[in-house]
Each structure stands twice: as C-alpha cells, then as structure tokens.
Amino acid sequence: MTSEKQKLVLASASPRRLALLEQIGIAPDAVRAADIDETPLKGELPRLHAQRLAREKAEAVARMEPGAFVLAADTVVACGRRILPKAETEADARACLALLSGRAHRVYTAIALIDPDGKLRERVNETRVAFKRLSAAEIEAYIAGGEWRGKAGGYAVQGRAAAFVRLLTGSYSGVVGLPLFETATLLEGAGFSH
C-alpha cells in the first residue's frame, strides 16, 4: 500500500447519506450527485431496481473521478412488488402513506463501490418496516410538515414518521439511506482506510 492519500467520493446529493458516513468517522473528499434516469424498467423488481440505480450512480461518478473510491447508494420502498415513488407532490405522499398505513413493507438500500482500479462491489440491505394504522388526520399533519418531499415512499423514518413505525427488522440506517454495517464492510474489503 502506498502512502498516497486515498480519495473517496460520495455519489449522492443526499445530506442524510453524508451525515451517516460521518457518523462512522468517514468524511468523503468530494460529494457529487449522479444525474441518471431513476425510472424503473418494465417489470423490474424493487431489489434489482435499487441495485441497478446504485451501480449506475457509481459508474457515472467514477467516469468523472478516475482513481478514486466512488460510493453510491439507492433506497427503494416497496409494497410487495410495487416500487413506491420518491414523493414529489402532496398527492404522491398521501397515496404512499395511505398504502403503507397498517401494513408492512420492505426498504431496499443498495450500495455500490467502485475502487480506484475500477472494480465494482455491491451489497443490498433489506429491512422490513411495519406502520401502525394511520388516521386521515395523522396523514394530513405529516404532509403539512413537508418532511416527505423527495423521500422514497413519502416518509422520513428519522423524522416525525418514526412515530408511525411499530416494527423495524433490519437496518435503521439502511432505511434512512445508507446501511452503515454493509458500507463499512464494503469499504474495508476494498482496501479503503480512513
């Protein structure tokens, strides 16, 4: 191993992913959002959708940052085989919350790491989340708060929606947007030291 400084680029515009990395003592040298089409392919299953998007984000940023470790992630909220959108409108958020009310769903967060030699490593974390039954008033109060904007499935588990979660089996940080155990393991396995 050379004494040359290793460069880590986080391929994400998400402030939550940056904060999660910093929580485990990793500060990327750069943060670059990948501009890719996130539309699900026809018949694409939620786990494979998350994995494909994380890989495409990593590949897009790796082309701009040769010789760096590039870490990307994508989070998909799924009800059965149905991929819930990243809520952009109140109607999106209301529909997501109505669907999730009183039932369990899965959150898939895929991470992709491209090392300085161009080798790709991938992991997918799957977490099961169950919401209590939500009243119309609870849904409207949550929507009024605006926390749902741009969030997969229309909610942020690290915010007020935490009060809706009656069960979470898996990775809390994965639901927030970056499964820290898998991320640390992937970086370590690729030879990244911080």
Side-chain angles (χ1 to χ4, degrees):
M1 201 83 197
T2 65
S3 60
E4 192 178 306
K5 166 104 172 75
Q6 296 175 315
K7 182 176 183 182
L8 175 65
V9 179
L10 177 61
S12 176
S14 166
R16 289 163 307 285
R17 289 195 178 112
L18 180 60
L20 284 166
L21 264 184
E22 290 171 348
Q23 183 182 323
I24 58 170
I26 298 173
D29 299 285
V31 177
R32 294 187 75 151
D35 185 22
I36 64 163
D37 180 359
E38 297 192 21
T39 308
L41 301 175
K42 187 170 173 47
E44 190 172 39
L45 295 174
R47 171 187 283 272
L48 297 175
H49 178 63
Q51 199 169 7
R52 178 177 63 82
L53 293 185
R55 183 182 327 113
E56 287 181 6
K57 289 175 184 179
E59 290 168 348
V61 171
R63 285 191 289 275
M64 298 183 277
E65 294 281 356
F69 285 90
V70 176
L71 177 68
D74 192 77
T75 301
V76 170
V77 175
C79 231
R81 294 171 153 246
R82 182 173 175 187
I83 297 170
L84 274 60
K86 283 190 170 92
E88 300 300 335
T89 65
E90 287 186 3
D92 289 344
R94 198 173 281 113
C96 287
L97 292 171
L99 183 65
L100 299 175
S101 174
R103 64 192 300 186
H105 60 279
R106 298 197 184 274
V107 179
Y108 298 96
T109 298
I111 51 176
L113 176 68
I114 296 179
D115 72 16
D117 296 325
K119 181 177 179 190
L120 172 71
R121 292 169 171 83
E122 300 174 284
R123 298 279 183 283
V124 180
N125 173 269
E126 178 181 334
T127 299
R128 186 171 176 266
V129 181
F131 271 17
K132 70 176 193 166
R133 187 162 306 285
L134 304 174
S135 68
E138 285 173 314
I139 290 174
E140 291 311 311
Y142 187 73
I143 287 171
E147 232 178 38
W148 52 268
R149 289 184 199 283
K151 303 292 191 303
Y155 74 92
V157 74
Q158 70 277 20
R160 291 180 56 208
F164 303 159
V165 178
R166 62 176 184 78
L167 176 76
L168 188 148
T169 308
S171 170
Y172 173 81
S173 63
V175 178
V176 176
L178 192 68
L180 293 177
F181 173 78
E182 289 86 346
T183 300
T185 304
L186 209 58
L187 286 164
E188 189 180 311
F192 177 78
S193 58
H194 59 286

Short mmCIF file of all heavy atoms in Angstrom, two decimals, residues 77-118:
data_model
loop_
_atom_site.label_atom_id
_atom_site.label_comp_id
_atom_site.label_asym_id
_atom_site.label_seq_id
_atom_site.Cartn_x
_atom_site.Cartn_y
_atom_site.Cartn_z
N VAL A 77 -38.48 1.93 -1.52
CA VAL A 77 -39.53 1.46 -0.62
C VAL A 77 -40.51 0.66 -1.47
O VAL A 77 -40.94 1.14 -2.53
CB VAL A 77 -40.24 2.63 0.09
CG1 VAL A 77 -41.42 2.14 0.92
CG2 VAL A 77 -39.25 3.40 0.97
N ALA A 78 -40.82 -0.55 -1.02
CA ALA A 78 -41.67 -1.43 -1.82
C ALA A 78 -42.79 -2.04 -0.99
O ALA A 78 -42.59 -2.44 0.15
CB ALA A 78 -40.82 -2.56 -2.42
N CYS A 79 -43.95 -2.11 -1.61
CA CYS A 79 -45.10 -2.80 -1.04
C CYS A 79 -45.32 -3.98 -1.97
O CYS A 79 -45.76 -3.79 -3.12
CB CYS A 79 -46.30 -1.87 -1.04
SG CYS A 79 -47.10 -1.77 0.54
N GLY A 80 -44.93 -5.17 -1.53
CA GLY A 80 -44.96 -6.32 -2.43
C GLY A 80 -43.97 -6.07 -3.55
O GLY A 80 -42.82 -5.72 -3.31
N ARG A 81 -44.43 -6.21 -4.81
CA ARG A 81 -43.55 -5.98 -5.96
C ARG A 81 -43.62 -4.53 -6.44
O ARG A 81 -42.93 -4.15 -7.37
CB ARG A 81 -43.97 -6.90 -7.13
CG ARG A 81 -43.76 -8.35 -6.83
CD ARG A 81 -44.41 -9.20 -7.93
NE ARG A 81 -43.71 -10.47 -8.02
CZ ARG A 81 -42.99 -10.85 -9.06
NH1 ARG A 81 -42.88 -10.08 -10.11
NH2 ARG A 81 -42.38 -12.01 -9.06
N ARG A 82 -44.47 -3.75 -5.79
CA ARG A 82 -44.70 -2.38 -6.22
C ARG A 82 -43.64 -1.44 -5.64
O ARG A 82 -43.43 -1.40 -4.43
CB ARG A 82 -46.09 -1.93 -5.76
CG ARG A 82 -46.46 -0.55 -6.17
CD ARG A 82 -47.90 -0.29 -5.80
NE ARG A 82 -48.25 1.09 -6.07
CZ ARG A 82 -49.39 1.62 -5.74
NH1 ARG A 82 -50.31 0.89 -5.12
NH2 ARG A 82 -49.63 2.87 -6.00
N ILE A 83 -42.99 -0.69 -6.53
CA ILE A 83 -42.00 0.30 -6.12
C ILE A 83 -42.72 1.62 -5.86
O ILE A 83 -43.39 2.15 -6.76
CB ILE A 83 -40.92 0.49 -7.23
CG1 ILE A 83 -40.15 -0.82 -7.44
CG2 ILE A 83 -39.99 1.64 -6.87
CD1 ILE A 83 -39.24 -0.81 -8.66
N LEU A 84 -42.60 2.12 -4.63
CA LEU A 84 -43.23 3.40 -4.32
C LEU A 84 -42.34 4.54 -4.81
O LEU A 84 -41.12 4.42 -4.79
CB LEU A 84 -43.47 3.52 -2.81
CG LEU A 84 -44.79 2.91 -2.33
CD1 LEU A 84 -44.88 1.43 -2.62
CD2 LEU A 84 -44.98 3.16 -0.85
N PRO A 85 -42.95 5.64 -5.23
CA PRO A 85 -42.14 6.74 -5.78
C PRO A 85 -41.43 7.52 -4.69
O PRO A 85 -41.76 7.42 -3.51
CB PRO A 85 -43.20 7.62 -6.46
CG PRO A 85 -44.43 7.40 -5.64
CD PRO A 85 -44.39 5.94 -5.24
N LYS A 86 -40.46 8.33 -5.13
CA LYS A 86 -39.91 9.37 -4.26
C LYS A 86 -40.96 10.47 -4.35
O LYS A 86 -41.21 11.01 -5.42
CB LYS A 86 -38.56 9.86 -4.79
CG LYS A 86 -37.43 8.91 -4.49
CD LYS A 86 -36.08 9.55 -4.80
CE LYS A 86 -34.96 8.70 -4.28
NZ LYS A 86 -34.43 7.74 -5.24
N ALA A 87 -41.59 10.77 -3.24
CA ALA A 87 -42.72 11.71 -3.26
C ALA A 87 -42.28 13.11 -3.67
O ALA A 87 -41.39 13.69 -3.05
CB ALA A 87 -43.38 11.73 -1.89
N GLU A 88 -42.89 13.61 -4.72
CA GLU A 88 -42.59 14.97 -5.20
C GLU A 88 -43.77 15.91 -4.97
O GLU A 88 -43.59 17.12 -4.98
CB GLU A 88 -42.23 14.94 -6.70
CG GLU A 88 -41.01 14.09 -7.03
CD GLU A 88 -39.72 14.54 -6.34
OE1 GLU A 88 -39.61 15.73 -5.99
OE2 GLU A 88 -38.83 13.70 -6.15
N THR A 89 -44.96 15.34 -4.79
CA THR A 89 -46.15 16.17 -4.57
C THR A 89 -46.88 15.66 -3.32
O THR A 89 -46.66 14.53 -2.88
CB THR A 89 -47.13 16.08 -5.76
OG1 THR A 89 -47.63 14.73 -5.83
CG2 THR A 89 -46.46 16.44 -7.08
N GLU A 90 -47.75 16.50 -2.79
CA GLU A 90 -48.56 16.08 -1.64
C GLU A 90 -49.39 14.85 -2.00
O GLU A 90 -49.58 13.96 -1.17
CB GLU A 90 -49.46 17.22 -1.16
CG GLU A 90 -48.71 18.32 -0.44
CD GLU A 90 -49.62 19.37 0.16
OE1 GLU A 90 -50.87 19.23 0.09
OE2 GLU A 90 -49.08 20.34 0.72
N ALA A 91 -49.89 14.82 -3.24
CA ALA A 91 -50.70 13.67 -3.68
C ALA A 91 -49.87 12.39 -3.65
O ALA A 91 -50.36 11.34 -3.23
CB ALA A 91 -51.27 13.92 -5.07
N ASP A 92 -48.60 12.46 -4.09
CA ASP A 92 -47.70 11.29 -4.04
C ASP A 92 -47.57 10.82 -2.59
O ASP A 92 -47.70 9.63 -2.29
CB ASP A 92 -46.27 11.64 -4.50
CG ASP A 92 -46.13 11.90 -5.98
OD1 ASP A 92 -47.04 11.54 -6.75
OD2 ASP A 92 -45.08 12.47 -6.36
N ALA A 93 -47.27 11.76 -1.70
CA ALA A 93 -47.04 11.42 -0.29
C ALA A 93 -48.29 10.83 0.34
O ALA A 93 -48.23 9.83 1.05
CB ALA A 93 -46.58 12.65 0.48
N ARG A 94 -49.43 11.43 0.06
CA ARG A 94 -50.71 10.97 0.62
C ARG A 94 -50.99 9.53 0.14
O ARG A 94 -51.38 8.68 0.94
CB ARG A 94 -51.82 11.92 0.17
CG ARG A 94 -53.08 11.82 0.98
CD ARG A 94 -54.07 12.92 0.60
NE ARG A 94 -53.72 14.20 1.21
CZ ARG A 94 -53.31 15.28 0.54
NH1 ARG A 94 -53.20 15.27 -0.78
NH2 ARG A 94 -53.02 16.39 1.18
N ALA A 95 -50.76 9.27 -1.15
CA ALA A 95 -51.01 7.92 -1.70
C ALA A 95 -50.07 6.90 -1.06
O ALA A 95 -50.49 5.79 -0.72
CB ALA A 95 -50.84 7.94 -3.22
N CYS A 96 -48.79 7.27 -0.90
CA CYS A 96 -47.83 6.35 -0.28
C CYS A 96 -48.23 6.04 1.16
O CYS A 96 -48.26 4.87 1.56
CB CYS A 96 -46.42 6.95 -0.29
SG CYS A 96 -45.63 6.98 -1.90
N LEU A 97 -48.52 7.06 1.93
CA LEU A 97 -48.86 6.86 3.35
C LEU A 97 -50.15 6.05 3.50
O LEU A 97 -50.25 5.19 4.38
CB LEU A 97 -48.96 8.19 4.07
CG LEU A 97 -47.63 8.94 4.22
CD1 LEU A 97 -47.85 10.35 4.75
CD2 LEU A 97 -46.67 8.17 5.11
N ALA A 98 -51.13 6.30 2.63
CA ALA A 98 -52.38 5.53 2.67
C ALA A 98 -52.09 4.06 2.38
O ALA A 98 -52.66 3.17 3.03
CB ALA A 98 -53.39 6.10 1.68
N LEU A 99 -51.20 3.80 1.44
CA LEU A 99 -50.85 2.41 1.08
C LEU A 99 -50.09 1.74 2.23
O LEU A 99 -50.31 0.56 2.52
CB LEU A 99 -50.00 2.41 -0.19
CG LEU A 99 -49.61 1.04 -0.73
CD1 LEU A 99 -50.84 0.26 -1.19
CD2 LEU A 99 -48.64 1.20 -1.90
N LEU A 100 -49.19 2.46 2.89
CA LEU A 100 -48.36 1.88 3.95
C LEU A 100 -49.09 1.76 5.29
O LEU A 100 -48.68 0.97 6.14
CB LEU A 100 -47.09 2.73 4.13
CG LEU A 100 -46.18 2.83 2.91
CD1 LEU A 100 -45.03 3.79 3.18
CD2 LEU A 100 -45.65 1.46 2.50
N SER A 101 -50.16 2.50 5.45
CA SER A 101 -50.90 2.51 6.71
C SER A 101 -51.37 1.11 7.12
O SER A 101 -52.01 0.41 6.34
CB SER A 101 -52.13 3.43 6.55
OG SER A 101 -52.94 3.36 7.71
N GLY A 102 -50.99 0.71 8.33
CA GLY A 102 -51.46 -0.56 8.88
C GLY A 102 -50.83 -1.79 8.28
O GLY A 102 -51.31 -2.90 8.51
N ARG A 103 -49.77 -1.64 7.51
CA ARG A 103 -49.18 -2.82 6.89
C ARG A 103 -47.66 -2.75 6.90
O ARG A 103 -47.06 -1.72 7.14
CB ARG A 103 -49.72 -3.02 5.49
CG ARG A 103 -49.37 -1.92 4.53
CD ARG A 103 -50.14 -1.99 3.23
NE ARG A 103 -49.91 -3.20 2.50
CZ ARG A 103 -50.39 -3.44 1.30
NH1 ARG A 103 -51.15 -2.54 0.70
NH2 ARG A 103 -50.13 -4.57 0.68
N ALA A 104 -47.08 -3.89 6.58
CA ALA A 104 -45.61 -4.00 6.50
C ALA A 104 -45.16 -3.73 5.07
O ALA A 104 -45.89 -4.00 4.11
CB ALA A 104 -45.16 -5.39 6.94
N HIS A 105 -43.97 -3.20 4.96
CA HIS A 105 -43.36 -3.00 3.65
C HIS A 105 -41.87 -3.27 3.77
O HIS A 105 -41.36 -3.51 4.86
CB HIS A 105 -43.64 -1.59 3.11
CG HIS A 105 -43.12 -0.48 3.96
ND1 HIS A 105 -43.79 -0.03 5.07
CD2 HIS A 105 -42.00 0.27 3.88
CE1 HIS A 105 -43.11 0.95 5.63
NE2 HIS A 105 -42.00 1.15 4.94
N ARG A 106 -41.18 -3.26 2.66
CA ARG A 106 -39.74 -3.51 2.66
C ARG A 106 -39.01 -2.29 2.11
O ARG A 106 -39.50 -1.63 1.20
CB ARG A 106 -39.39 -4.74 1.83
CG ARG A 106 -40.04 -5.98 2.42
CD ARG A 106 -39.44 -7.27 1.93
NE ARG A 106 -40.17 -8.40 2.46
CZ ARG A 106 -39.94 -8.97 3.63
NH1 ARG A 106 -38.99 -8.51 4.41
NH2 ARG A 106 -40.64 -10.00 4.04
N VAL A 107 -37.85 -2.04 2.71
CA VAL A 107 -36.99 -0.96 2.24
C VAL A 107 -35.69 -1.62 1.80
O VAL A 107 -35.03 -2.30 2.58
CB VAL A 107 -36.73 0.09 3.34
CG1 VAL A 107 -35.80 1.18 2.81
CG2 VAL A 107 -38.05 0.68 3.84
N TYR A 108 -35.35 -1.43 0.54
CA TYR A 108 -34.11 -1.97 -0.02
C TYR A 108 -33.15 -0.81 -0.22
O TYR A 108 -33.49 0.15 -0.93
CB TYR A 108 -34.36 -2.63 -1.38
CG TYR A 108 -35.30 -3.80 -1.33
CD1 TYR A 108 -36.66 -3.64 -1.61
CD2 TYR A 108 -34.85 -5.07 -1.00
CE1 TYR A 108 -37.54 -4.71 -1.55
CE2 TYR A 108 -35.71 -6.15 -0.94
CZ TYR A 108 -37.05 -5.97 -1.22
OH TYR A 108 -37.92 -7.03 -1.17
N THR A 109 -31.98 -0.88 0.39
CA THR A 109 -30.95 0.11 0.10
C THR A 109 -29.75 -0.64 -0.46
O THR A 109 -29.16 -1.48 0.21
CB THR A 109 -30.57 0.95 1.32
OG1 THR A 109 -31.73 1.67 1.75
CG2 THR A 109 -29.48 1.96 0.97
N ALA A 110 -29.46 -0.31 -1.71
CA ALA A 110 -28.32 -0.92 -2.39
C ALA A 110 -27.15 0.04 -2.32
O ALA A 110 -27.33 1.26 -2.41
CB ALA A 110 -28.68 -1.19 -3.86
N ILE A 111 -25.96 -0.52 -2.13
CA ILE A 111 -24.75 0.29 -2.18
C ILE A 111 -23.83 -0.30 -3.22
O ILE A 111 -23.78 -1.51 -3.42
CB ILE A 111 -24.05 0.41 -0.80
CG1 ILE A 111 -23.84 -0.96 -0.15
CG2 ILE A 111 -24.80 1.34 0.11
CD1 ILE A 111 -23.06 -0.91 1.14
N ALA A 112 -23.14 0.58 -3.92
CA ALA A 112 -22.18 0.18 -4.95
C ALA A 112 -20.90 0.96 -4.70
O ALA A 112 -20.94 2.16 -4.45
CB ALA A 112 -22.73 0.48 -6.35
N LEU A 113 -19.79 0.24 -4.74
CA LEU A 113 -18.49 0.86 -4.55
C LEU A 113 -17.59 0.49 -5.71
O LEU A 113 -17.44 -0.70 -6.04
CB LEU A 113 -17.86 0.37 -3.23
CG LEU A 113 -16.45 0.88 -2.93
CD1 LEU A 113 -16.45 2.38 -2.65
CD2 LEU A 113 -15.85 0.11 -1.75
N ILE A 114 -17.02 1.50 -6.34
CA ILE A 114 -16.04 1.26 -7.40
C ILE A 114 -14.69 1.70 -6.85
O ILE A 114 -14.55 2.83 -6.36
CB ILE A 114 -16.40 2.02 -8.69
CG1 ILE A 114 -17.74 1.48 -9.24
CG2 ILE A 114 -15.28 1.89 -9.73
CD1 ILE A 114 -18.23 2.14 -10.50
N ASP A 115 -13.72 0.79 -6.87
CA ASP A 115 -12.41 1.12 -6.32
C ASP A 115 -11.55 1.83 -7.38
O ASP A 115 -11.96 1.94 -8.55
CB ASP A 115 -11.73 -0.12 -5.73
CG ASP A 115 -11.25 -1.12 -6.75
OD1 ASP A 115 -11.13 -0.79 -7.95
OD2 ASP A 115 -10.97 -2.27 -6.35
N PRO A 116 -10.37 2.34 -7.00
CA PRO A 116 -9.54 3.07 -7.95
C PRO A 116 -9.14 2.26 -9.19
O PRO A 116 -8.83 2.84 -10.23
CB PRO A 116 -8.29 3.44 -7.13
CG PRO A 116 -8.79 3.50 -5.73
CD PRO A 116 -9.82 2.41 -5.63
N ASP A 117 -9.18 0.94 -9.10
CA ASP A 117 -8.86 0.08 -10.25
C ASP A 117 -10.09 -0.22 -11.11
O ASP A 117 -10.00 -0.96 -12.08
CB ASP A 117 -8.24 -1.24 -9.77
CG ASP A 117 -6.92 -1.02 -9.07
OD1 ASP A 117 -6.17 -0.10 -9.48
OD2 ASP A 117 -6.64 -1.75 -8.10
N GLY A 118 -11.25 0.31 -10.71
CA GLY A 118 -12.46 0.11 -11.50
C GLY A 118 -13.28 -1.11 -11.11
O GLY A 118 -14.27 -1.43 -11.76
#
